[in-house]
Amino acid sequence: MDKNKILSWINYNELKELHEYLKKQNVVDIADFLDELDDSSLAIFFRVLEKEEAANVFSYLDNDARKRLIKTFNNTEIVKVMNELYSDDAVDFLSEMPANLVTQLLDKVDENVRKDINHLLKYKDDTAGSIMTVEFIEFTKEMTVVQALAKIKRVGIDSETVYTCYVVENRRLIGIVSAKSLMLSDSDVLIKDIMKEEFIYAYTGDDKEDIAKKMKKYDLIALPVLDVENCIVGIVTFDDAIDVLTEETTEDMQKMAAIVASDKPYLSTSVWEHARSRIVWLLILMFSATLTGSIISRYEHAFEVMPILVSFIPMLMDTGGNCGSQSSTLVIRGLAIDEIKFGDFFKVVFKEFKISIIVGVVLGIANGIRILILNRNPYLAFVIAVSLVVTVMISKFVGCALPIVAKKLKMDPAIMASPLITTIVDTVAIIVYFTVASHVFHL
Amino acid sequence: MDKNKILSWINYNELKELHEYLKKQNVVDIADFLDELDDSSLAIFFRVLEKEEAANVFSYLDNDARKRLIKTFNNTEIVKVMNELYSDDAVDFLSEMPANLVTQLLDKVDENVRKDINHLLKYKDDTAGSIMTVEFIEFTKEMTVVQALAKIKRVGIDSETVYTCYVVENRRLIGIVSAKSLMLSDSDVLIKDIMKEEFIYAYTGDDKEDIAKKMKKYDLIALPVLDVENCIVGIVTFDDAIDVLTEETTEDMQKMAAIVASDKPYLSTSVWEHARSRIVWLLILMFSATLTGSIISRYEHAFEVMPILVSFIPMLMDTGGNCGSQSSTLVIRGLAIDEIKFGDFFKVVFKEFKISIIVGVVLGIANGIRILILNRNPYLAFVIAVSLVVTVMISKFVGCALPIVAKKLKMDPAIMASPLITTIVDTVAIIVYFTVASHVFHL
């Protein structure tokens, strides 16, 4: 997008040129570009777009840009855009707006749009219902291919996708037809002869992450969503599925870093919201870590006699934490992308057991040698090496087992990640270390 | 899939029933099911599939299943499957096979299949060329809609997607036409009047992650890939883009957990490979942590006088590490999904600065009060509270700044994650803590 050119068109009121230019641009790029305009240019710019294009651009705007637009637009103008939006985008927009604005807007939109939106707004967040759209194409099984193509020509422009169409009998979904098979079939073939009666579908109450995973697994462009009576009420398209997958991964990563998950972008989250979402876990983990501290206090006599023991505490704690978080990360991710299932519990634990022996021994020997050279104290080298091996083995066990167990208990495995594991492993590492040291040095 | 039914058909050699049954099943489910069969049933089962279906199933198999199939199949049978595979799937398969098998197979496949595969095998891993397929539909701009639809009918069955077609002049890509616009247009309209001349594309050498992100951003079903002369040589389809996004995220998470990244599934990675990919970073981090240890040694006199000081080390280290990893995780993820850019550096640092004040003060006060109650030592409470505030502030600064700087230096931001940050922050926490303590208690 050529910012100078656009600004000059706006300044000199050469809106026809702008209109022609924008018609050739990608709506996603136009949406991106809006961030660079001030409020008054933004309003002019947006008014120049054609009705349908405007709705399309609107669906790609982030919340900040939408709020800016709403400030400069009157409700009638917004309603015009809303009438053109796909129902899932309209719902997505409304769910972020203040309740009184939602009521005002809904009062003014077209009757059937209002009906669709009100229907969709009923579905809970995180369900298939909340991300589906109601603009899809229905056939009957007695239609011919040429009739079906004619129907697409008639209603296709308002459908979010025409690439999968749905065959319905008494409102029940009985088959699906891909545009590919329509295009490859002869005109007089009946829909019932090319429709697929075995198809993948979801229910409105299904978890949206499961839906997205299903669409990824089966490489679907769109997935039909049914109500309890097996009537088709909407579809989820692949672009929304990709967004859900990305969002869920981001939330997983946040949980794994001891942050209360949020789907709001980093930069548009306020300082207070950020602080709030981080403090909870920090407090819990901080007070758990004082447990490790109180265990250390029990060995005060040990490091009064041998102060050098204290200097190995960070290395042992960090290595334990790192080993545990390696295992937990791999297992949490494996569970998230369905590469690991609960049935693999013993396979995973046994694998981690073998890995931890190799890793533990290598680290133990490396550090033992280092201490032997630097401190010339074979007993100390032995204590550290043994503590390392045991710590690594316990860390890897805790790291791989807890997420799988959490999943089985219908908890979120992502919580069993590095911060929590580290806190647990720290305590273990300290106990192992001082126990071994006490025995070897008769403290 | 009904395992008992399938096994009984195989056992009683009722292959026609099996054939009919499988025709109705989803290829992805069939691919999944193959894992449950032993080698001899597997061979029978796979031979029952129709040629095209077999290739389709094959493209969804994981490497272990493919290797099992190859053991029971002779080369001629494998070649038959390969002739039916889309070129990207064939390349994907061959790139995991031993070189001598690849040569044998390539000798036997159809001339044009071999040409395509050899061409694709030349592209480097991680490039658009390595994930694209050559089966796409080309139009000329003078064709009418009805001619275009006729061409789709003729070659569509062998194209990975018919939903985006490519308009070519002297081998150069000059426009794209969606199946939607074809279906919505009248038969005698010319392709040049409905083609879009502004379109999103990539070059063969482009990074595959960038391609996938582009497809996500613009909601594309397929993306054309051009060579240096702007001739179209292949397309990338949305399902491959989703796989790339998932893989790259998994690799990011591995790097963030101090593991050398690999795209091999957890369970099919051997114990040795797992151990190797984890030991490198563990060794580096372990020896860096001994630095923290040697700094502690410098304060031996302090905790000889006040052994209780040692008991707060774990809490300070853990809290610092957790604070740092919260910030680094959010920033690394933000960078990965393009929500944060280098230009946001100061915005992010300033935001984290404000957050760290809030978080630091809350944690400092909470812990200060705890110590005041339990240890009845206001000086100690003061030392811990101040150390916490400073540690939190430094951790959050290091955590947010390093990933952005890494990105700017063309390094992978994911490496600047919790383990490395923790190691840095530990040292800082210890220095701050003992400096404050030494001053307050005149040690």
Side-chain angles (χ1 to χ4, degrees):
Chain A
M1 305 273 297
D2 188 335
K3 189 174 175 183
N4 291 330
K5 226 159 56 179
I6 294 174
L7 285 181
S8 110
W9 282 325
I10 294 179
N11 288 334
Y12 294 101
N13 211 25
E14 294 170 333
L15 300 183
K16 217 176 135 186
E17 283 82 352
L18 180 58
H19 179 85
E20 284 308 309
Y21 176 80
L22 289 181
K23 256 170 53 181
K24 283 196 206 128
Q25 303 301 313
N26 189 295
V27 288
V28 183
D29 292 329
I30 298 179
D32 272 359
F33 179 74
L34 284 183
D35 285 337
E36 299 185 32
L37 294 175
D38 59 36
D39 287 0
S40 67
S41 308
L42 175 67
I44 298 173
F45 183 92
F46 202 80
R47 286 194 184 100
V48 166
L49 293 168
E50 273 174 34
K51 210 167 60 170
E52 209 190 319
E53 201 178 18
N56 227 330
V57 168
F58 192 84
S59 73
Y60 283 103
L61 292 179
D62 57 29
N63 270 318
D64 294 341
R66 284 177 183 173
K67 281 185 188 144
R68 283 177 62 211
L69 253 184
I70 287 172
K71 269 197 300 179
T72 51
F73 268 41
N74 59 42
N75 282 356
T76 324
E77 281 175 305
I78 303 168
V79 161
K80 255 192 216 158
V81 173
M82 281 185 61
N83 282 332
E84 293 297 317
L85 283 177
Y86 291 128
S87 51
D88 58 341
D89 295 323
V91 167
D92 184 44
F93 158 56
L94 290 179
S95 62
E96 299 290 337
M97 294 298 124
N100 60 335
L101 180 66
V102 174
T103 327
Q104 285 172 36
L105 293 175
L106 277 181
D107 266 356
K108 290 198 184 159
V109 292
D110 291 352
E111 173 71 34
N112 52 343
V113 173
R114 179 167 56 245
K115 235 179 69 194
D116 288 342
I117 293 178
N118 271 326
H119 177 71
L120 290 179
L121 279 173
K122 277 189 314 203
Y123 295 108
K124 279 203 210 103
D125 261 11
D126 296 331
T127 63
S130 74
I131 53 164
M132 72 186 185
T133 188
V134 298
E135 290 85 1
F136 56 89
I137 296 179
E138 285 183 357
F139 296 153
T140 61
K141 63 179 181 171
E142 301 300 340
M143 280 172 130
T144 60
V145 164
V146 68
Q147 285 169 333
L149 286 170
K151 173 144 191 191
I152 290 182
K153 201 168 273 182
R154 214 163 58 239
V155 303
I157 194 78
D158 291 323
S159 307
E160 184 154 359
T161 181
V162 301
Y163 297 144
T164 317
C165 304
Y166 303 90
V167 189
V168 172
E169 192 170 56
N170 300 324
R171 291 192 55 229
R172 275 191 183 73
L173 182 62
I174 57 167
I176 64 168
V177 178
S178 71
K180 185 170 181 176
S181 63
L182 277 180
M183 288 194 285
L184 299 183
S185 301
D186 292 325
S187 338
D188 52 351
V189 169
L190 290 177
I191 289 300
K192 68 173 175 200
D193 294 327
I194 55 169
M195 75 183 188
K196 271 176 54 187
E197 286 168 81
E198 310 278 334
F199 49 82
I200 313 292
Y201 58 89
Y203 287 107
T204 49
D206 287 355
D207 187 275
K208 68 177 180 185
E209 187 178 1
D210 294 337
I211 306 295
K213 280 192 198 168
K214 215 181 229 181
M215 293 181 70
K216 173 182 182 311
K217 177 175 177 187
Y218 292 99
D219 292 343
L220 303 177
I221 292 182
L223 177 88
V225 184
L226 312 182
D227 65 13
V228 281
E229 290 165 322
N230 286 324
C231 300
I232 176 167
V233 287
I235 59 169
V236 176
T237 50
F238 77 99
D239 49 320
D240 296 321
I242 298 181
D243 291 344
V244 168
L245 289 175
T246 310
E247 249 172 47
E248 297 290 332
T249 309
T250 305
E251 293 189 18
D252 270 1
M253 289 171 115
Q254 291 172 344
K255 286 181 209 145
M256 289 168 76
I259 302 168
V260 178
S262 144
D263 56 5
K264 232 171 148 177
Y266 177 88
L267 289 173
S268 33
T269 306
S270 75
V271 169
W272 282 106
E273 285 170 302
H274 271 300
R276 228 183 9 230
S277 66
R278 301 187 198 179
I279 283 176
V280 193
W281 271 106
L282 286 177
L283 279 171
I284 298 175
L285 295 168
M286 185 176 78
F287 286 122
S288 324
T290 56
L291 178 70
T292 319
S294 64
I295 288 171
I296 290 188
S297 305
R298 277 204 260 146
Y299 295 98
E300 260 177 31
H301 62 284
F303 55 82
E304 274 170 330
V305 183
M306 273 191 78
I308 195 169
L309 287 181
V310 176
S311 68
F312 294 101
I313 291 179
M315 186 275 295
L316 276 171
M317 276 174 53
D318 280 353
T319 305
N322 290 335
C323 284
S325 82
Q326 285 181 334
S327 305
S328 68
T329 300
L330 287 175
V331 171
I332 291 170
R333 182 63 178 164
L335 289 166
I337 57 179
D338 293 332
E339 267 175 21
I340 297 175
K341 299 197 172 58
F342 182 72
D344 300 318
F345 183 79
F346 291 106
K347 231 190 273 176
V348 171
V349 168
F350 190 50
K351 193 160 217 160
E352 289 296 316
F353 175 71
K354 289 186 280 185
I355 297 168
S356 68
I357 294 180
I358 302 175
V359 171
V361 168
V362 171
L363 296 186
I365 292 176
N367 221 333
I369 294 176
R370 196 189 68 94
I371 294 168
L372 216 49
I373 296 173
L374 290 180
N375 304 68
R376 295 173 193 279
N377 184 340
Y379 295 102
L380 188 61
F382 175 76
V383 169
I384 299 298
V386 170
S387 306
L388 260 176
V389 175
V390 178
T391 302
V392 169
M393 289 177 66
I394 298 177
S395 312
K396 294 238 172 259
F397 174 74
V398 174
C400 75
L402 284 193
I404 307 187
V405 172
K407 176 103 176 190
K408 186 65 181 177
L409 299 175
K410 308 242 179 253
M411 287 163 62
D412 194 330
I415 291 169
M416 299 300 169
S418 129
L420 195 63
I421 302 267
T422 302
T423 309
I424 299 173
V425 165
D426 281 354
T427 314
V428 175
I430 296 294
I431 295 177
V432 170
Y433 176 43
F434 281 108
T435 311
V436 177
S438 302
H439 276 87
V440 172
F441 298 116
H442 309 289
L443 297 168
Chain B
M1 307 273 297
D2 188 335
K3 189 173 175 181
N4 292 330
K5 228 158 58 179
I6 293 175
L7 285 182
S8 109
W9 282 325
I10 293 179
N11 289 334
Y12 295 101
N13 210 23
E14 295 169 333
L15 300 183
K16 216 172 137 194
E17 283 81 353
L18 180 58
H19 179 86
E20 283 309 308
Y21 176 80
L22 289 180
K23 256 170 55 178
K24 283 198 206 126
Q25 303 301 311
N26 189 295
V27 287
V28 182
D29 292 328
I30 297 180
D32 272 359
F33 179 75
L34 284 183
D35 285 336
E36 298 185 33
L37 294 175
D38 59 37
D39 288 359
S40 66
S41 308
L42 176 67
I44 299 172
F45 183 92
F46 203 80
R47 287 195 182 99
V48 166
L49 293 169
E50 276 175 31
K51 208 166 62 169
E52 207 190 319
E53 202 178 17
N56 227 331
V57 169
F58 192 84
S59 73
Y60 283 102
L61 291 180
D62 57 28
N63 270 318
D64 295 341
R66 285 178 182 172
K67 281 183 188 145
R68 284 177 61 211
L69 253 184
I70 286 171
K71 270 197 300 182
T72 50
F73 268 41
N74 60 40
N75 282 357
T76 325
E77 281 175 304
I78 302 169
V79 161
K80 252 191 219 159
V81 173
M82 281 185 61
N83 282 332
E84 293 296 318
L85 282 177
Y86 291 127
S87 50
D88 58 341
D89 294 323
V91 167
D92 185 42
F93 158 55
L94 290 180
S95 61
E96 299 290 339
M97 293 298 124
N100 60 336
L101 181 65
V102 173
T103 328
Q104 285 171 35
L105 293 176
L106 277 182
D107 267 355
K108 290 197 182 159
V109 291
D110 292 353
E111 172 71 34
N112 52 343
V113 173
R114 179 167 54 246
K115 235 179 68 193
D116 287 343
I117 292 178
N118 271 327
H119 177 71
L120 289 179
L121 278 173
K122 277 189 313 204
Y123 295 108
K124 278 203 209 100
D125 260 11
D126 295 333
T127 63
S130 74
I131 54 165
M132 72 187 186
T133 189
V134 298
E135 291 85 1
F136 56 89
I137 295 179
E138 285 183 353
F139 295 154
T140 61
K141 64 179 180 167
E142 303 300 339
M143 280 171 130
T144 60
V145 165
V146 70
Q147 286 169 332
L149 286 170
K151 172 142 192 194
I152 291 181
K153 200 167 272 179
R154 212 163 57 239
V155 301
I157 194 78
D158 291 323
S159 309
E160 183 154 359
T161 180
V162 301
Y163 296 144
T164 317
C165 304
Y166 302 91
V167 188
V168 171
E169 193 170 56
N170 301 325
R171 291 193 54 230
R172 274 193 183 72
L173 182 63
I174 57 166
I176 64 168
V177 178
S178 70
K180 185 169 180 175
S181 61
L182 278 181
M183 288 194 286
L184 299 183
S185 303
D186 292 326
S187 337
D188 51 353
V189 171
L190 291 177
I191 289 299
K192 69 173 174 200
D193 295 326
I194 57 168
M195 75 182 188
K196 270 174 55 185
E197 287 168 81
E198 310 278 335
F199 49 82
I200 314 293
Y201 58 89
Y203 287 106
T204 49
D206 288 356
D207 186 272
K208 68 177 179 185
E209 188 178 2
D210 293 339
I211 306 295
K213 279 193 198 169
K214 216 180 227 181
M215 293 181 69
K216 174 182 182 310
K217 177 174 178 187
Y218 293 99
D219 292 342
L220 303 177
I221 291 183
L223 177 87
V225 183
L226 312 182
D227 64 13
V228 281
E229 292 165 321
N230 287 325
C231 299
I232 176 167
V233 286
I235 60 169
V236 176
T237 49
F238 77 99
D239 47 319
D240 296 322
I242 298 180
D243 290 343
V244 169
L245 289 174
T246 311
E247 249 171 48
E248 297 290 332
T249 309
T250 305
E251 293 189 19
D252 271 2
M253 287 170 115
Q254 291 172 343
K255 287 180 208 147
M256 289 168 75
I259 301 168
V260 178
S262 144
D263 56 6
K264 232 172 149 178
Y266 177 88
L267 289 174
S268 32
T269 307
S270 76
V271 169
W272 281 107
E273 286 169 305
H274 271 300
R276 223 179 17 226
S277 66
R278 300 185 199 180
I279 283 176
V280 193
W281 271 106
L282 286 176
L283 279 172
I284 297 174
L285 294 169
M286 186 177 77
F287 286 122
S288 325
T290 56
L291 178 70
T292 320
S294 65
I295 288 171
I296 290 187
S297 306
R298 277 204 261 147
Y299 295 97
E300 260 177 32
H301 62 283
F303 55 81
E304 273 169 332
V305 182
M306 275 190 78
I308 194 169
L309 287 181
V310 176
S311 69
F312 293 100
I313 292 178
M315 186 275 295
L316 275 172
M317 276 174 53
D318 280 354
T319 304
N322 289 335
C323 284
S325 81
Q326 286 181 333
S327 305
S328 68
T329 301
L330 288 176
V331 171
I332 290 169
R333 183 63 178 161
L335 289 167
I337 57 178
D338 293 331
E339 266 175 23
I340 298 176
K341 299 196 172 61
F342 183 72
D344 300 319
F345 184 78
F346 291 106
K347 233 190 271 175
V348 171
V349 169
F350 189 50
K351 193 160 218 158
E352 288 297 317
F353 174 71
K354 290 186 281 186
I355 298 168
S356 67
I357 294 179
I358 302 175
V359 171
V361 168
V362 171
L363 295 187
I365 292 177
N367 220 333
I369 293 176
R370 196 190 67 95
I371 294 167
L372 217 48
I373 296 173
L374 290 182
N375 304 67
R376 296 173 193 279
N377 183 342
Y379 295 103
L380 188 60
F382 175 77
V383 168
I384 299 297
V386 170
S387 306
L388 259 177
V389 174
V390 178
T391 302
V392 169
M393 288 177 66
I394 297 176
S395 314
K396 293 237 170 257
F397 173 74
V398 174
C400 75
L402 284 192
I404 306 187
V405 172
K407 175 101 176 191
K408 185 67 181 178
L409 299 176
K410 307 237 180 260
M411 287 163 63
D412 194 331
I415 291 169
M416 300 300 171
S418 145
L420 195 64
I421 303 268
T422 302
T423 309
I424 299 172
V425 164
D426 281 353
T427 314
V428 175
I430 296 294
I431 295 177
V432 169
Y433 176 43
F434 280 108
T435 310
V436 176
S438 302
H439 275 87
V440 171
F441 298 116
H442 309 290
L443 298 168

